[in-house]
Amino acid sequence: MGETADFRIDVPQAALDDLHDRLRLTRWPAASPEPGWARGVPVLYLRRLADHWLHRYDWRAHEAALNAIPQGLTEIDGQRIHFLHARSPEPDALPLVITHGWPGSVVEFLKIIGPLTDPRAHGGDAADAFHVVAPSLPGFAFSTPLAAPDWDHARIAAAWLVLMDRLGYERFGAHGGDTGSKVSPALGRLAPDRVAGVHINGGLELPPADDPALASLAPDELARLESVRELVRHGTGYADLQSTKPQTIAYALNDSPVGQLAWIADKFHDWTDPAAPLPEDAVDVDQLLTNVTLYWLTGTGASSAHQYRAVRDEPDPGPSDVPTGVAVFPTDPAIRGLLERRHRIVHWSEFDRGGHFAAMEAPDLLVQDLRDFFRPLRRPAPAGGQ
């Protein structure tokens, strides 16, 4: 279909009852022989989180919060695409497409959509307003079923360009973290005449040890590079599995809500603000559980994993001349000296709180950085100008 249709989330009560039954009947494993998180999510921690999910978490309240944001469905390149579409009350607002990653979803953006679309109502300047479009990646949430195995970053960017066309947006900005930090620049490369600017949080790169660029890195950048290498050594087993045999993990994620909870909670522990001992110290526990519940209710723990396989052998995208802003939060070791090889960076911010899930952890900082970055880019440059 070449049009968009309105969409509203309405999960059958039977699906929620089934979730609760499965949580009650969980067969728990023995505790790890090593205390702490070194070998994965501790049993006692996950039992407490699952108990909150079963007895205190209210999906219907969060379903209503999601439904308070206009949503739509469309089909692009054979794939059903779900998206949030929050228009600003300000007529001169800049359209902004924002892209999540794994193990996130559009739930990540619930705390930033209001301030972005209506800054006047949140103590900001009306001139900083955005019309926000937040699509669900193919294979995630309601962008299902996954119609093809090869939805890499470039193909997703091409779909987002079609989506913005269908919504009537000629010129717009792009933002993203995680997968979004790859898709948003790809969108800029695809349509540099239409993308006002690209803003990302993070931007992980691991060059080979003999890369000549390493010789020019500053000491703090070399320290960040070592943290990236440490992450790869000890924290990317999930990616190895999802980028090679995503269907194998599908059965556990699709059959056990506690399995899905552990798979996601592990990354929220590792990637959120290092000053926060537990995931719920960094993000609102109910927002975290809404994200997990969305994966569970849509059965997309499996299909979302295929995205890692799709991008495993993606070619080097080449450089981009689109103005780019980078927001660096703790646990996202972006290295400017490496990113500048592919991006025209005109804005660089570093923050001492927050983490990989910036829209959930530090929404105030992310919103302000988006406003600051896009402020000089809202009007097209004069002919022949920069």
Side-chain angles (χ1 to χ4, degrees), residues 120-149:
R120 195 197 304 260
H122 293 81
D125 187 336
D128 289 326
F130 297 93
H131 300 304
V132 174
V133 179
S136 295
L137 290 165
F140 288 68
F142 302 102
S143 290
T144 48
L146 186 61

Side-chain angles (χ1 to χ4, degrees), residues 112-128:
I112 68 172
I113 288 176
L116 289 176
T117 56
D118 194 0
R120 195 197 304 260
H122 293 81
D125 187 336
D128 289 326

Side-chain angles (χ1 to χ4, degrees), residues 128-291:
D128 289 326
F130 297 93
H131 300 304
V132 174
V133 179
S136 295
L137 290 165
F140 288 68
F142 302 102
S143 290
T144 48
L146 186 61
D150 53 354
W151 278 93
D152 62 13
H153 300 131
R155 188 175 180 183
I156 295 169
W160 284 191
L161 189 61
V162 173
L163 176 61
M164 297 305 274
D165 282 339
R166 290 183 184 171
L167 296 177
Y169 296 132
E170 175 61 27
R171 185 172 183 271
F172 51 89
H175 162 72
D178 196 89
T179 301
S181 73
K182 304 293 186 183
V183 171
S184 300
L187 188 52
R189 293 184 187 96
L190 182 65
D193 56 329
R194 296 180 58 185
V195 177
V198 169
H199 184 279
I200 61 175
N201 52 277
L204 184 66
E205 289 199 23
L206 184 60
D210 59 354
D211 192 319
L214 300 182
S216 61
L217 295 184
D220 65 315
E221 292 180 320
L222 289 172
R224 278 187 187 166
L225 182 58
E226 183 53 36
S227 72
V228 175
R229 289 180 173 142
E230 187 70 10
L231 173 66
V232 171
R233 280 193 292 268
H234 299 291
T236 56
Y238 75 96
D240 291 338
L241 179 56
Q242 293 190 164
S243 65
T244 54
K245 297 294 185 71
Q247 193 62 29
T248 297
I249 192 63
Y251 304 100
L253 297 180
N254 206 60
D255 191 57
S256 168
V258 165
Q260 180 70 85
L261 178 64
W263 198 240
I264 291 179
D266 184 69
K267 297 301 107 189
F268 271 80
H269 172 265
D270 290 353
W271 297 349
T272 50
D273 192 330
L278 296 174
E280 63 267 30
D281 297 322
V283 301
D284 178 82
V285 66
D286 279 4
Q287 190 178 12
L288 168 60
L289 288 172
T290 299
N291 182 62

Side-chain angles (χ1 to χ4, degrees), residues 47-66:
R47 291 189 79 130
R48 288 197 299 270
L49 191 57
D51 183 76
H52 182 96
W53 197 10
L54 174 61
H55 294 293
R56 290 176 292 283
Y57 173 77
D58 181 1
W59 163 259
R60 290 302 185 197
H62 298 282
E63 181 183 70
L66 282 164

Side-chain angles (χ1 to χ4, degrees), residues 81-122:
I81 298 295
H82 162 259
F83 58 94
L84 308 182
H85 183 202
R87 287 188 59 85
S88 172
E90 307 297 340
D92 294 328
L94 176 69
L96 179 68
V97 57
I98 57 179
T99 306
H100 66 85
W102 182 93
S105 66
V106 295
V107 170
E108 287 183 60
F109 303 132
L110 289 176
K111 292 183 177 180
I112 68 172
I113 288 176
L116 289 176
T117 56
D118 194 0
R120 195 197 304 260
H122 293 81

